[in-house]
Amino acid sequence: MAEIAALFDQYEWAAEVVEPGIWRAGFTTERDLEYDLYVMAAEGVVRFAVTPFVTRPDPACEGRIGALLLKLNPQIPYAYFGVDGDGDLMLMADLPASLLNFDSFATVVDTLAQVTDALAYEIGRVAHEPGYHSALLSES
């Protein structure tokens, strides 16, 4: 799907083909943290994933991070959290291939970049610091 390469060009992000049907672009947050955005063309859908969004949570933090992600998932437009095969957290979005155009592509990429910038550092602390209190997670 050469259209995805052209959309990255129009968005003005460099992207490389990592294997047929999968592109990778990098971006940096305001905290100077670097992330990879993968875009995969599948039958009928284009899947976007910031991975790793946060590396595999420490075992002592799994319950809290699970509760936090369940709380945040419905609050993020177009996107949702997932876990990859290594246990790393991903931020993902799916776009029906029939709706793929520059505006929809830009909306999804903008959303993923903004959510990563706003939440990845804080979620990373919850995932790796057992005693950390996050304002994102009300604790009783």
Side-chain angles (χ1 to χ4, degrees), residues 19 30 33 73 92 95-96 106 108 126:
E19 60 183 73
E30 288 187 25
L33 300 172
N73 253 345
M92 302 172 63
L95 182 65
V108 171
V126 173

Side-chain angles (χ1 to χ4, degrees), residues 5-112:
L7 292 170
F8 271 116
D9 287 343
Q10 189 175 355
Y11 193 77
E12 300 181 352
W13 273 20
E16 65 177 328
V17 176
V18 292
E19 60 183 73
I22 301 177
W23 291 260
R24 178 178 56 214
F27 66 97
T28 305
T29 65
E30 288 187 25
R31 289 184 178 269
D32 288 328
L33 300 172
E34 296 181 7
Y35 292 88
D36 287 327
L37 170 69
Y38 290 87
V39 178
M40 180 180 74
E43 190 170 326
V45 70
V46 179
R47 175 156 289 158
F48 298 73
V50 176
T51 187
F53 181 78
V54 171
T55 57
R56 182 185 190 119
D58 293 343
C61 300
E62 288 176 351
R64 292 179 70 232
I65 198 69
L68 178 57
L69 297 181
L70 285 173
K71 176 184 173 186
L72 292 174
N73 253 345
Q75 298 177 26
I76 300 172
Y78 310 112
Y80 58 95
F81 292 101
V83 179
D84 71 13
D86 295 326
D88 296 334
L89 304 179
M90 302 181 296
L91 179 64
M92 302 172 63
D94 296 328
L95 182 65
S98 62
L99 299 179
L100 183 64
N101 59 39
F102 180 72
D103 290 338
S104 61
F105 179 88
T107 297
V108 171
V109 173
D110 288 348
T111 298
L112 294 176

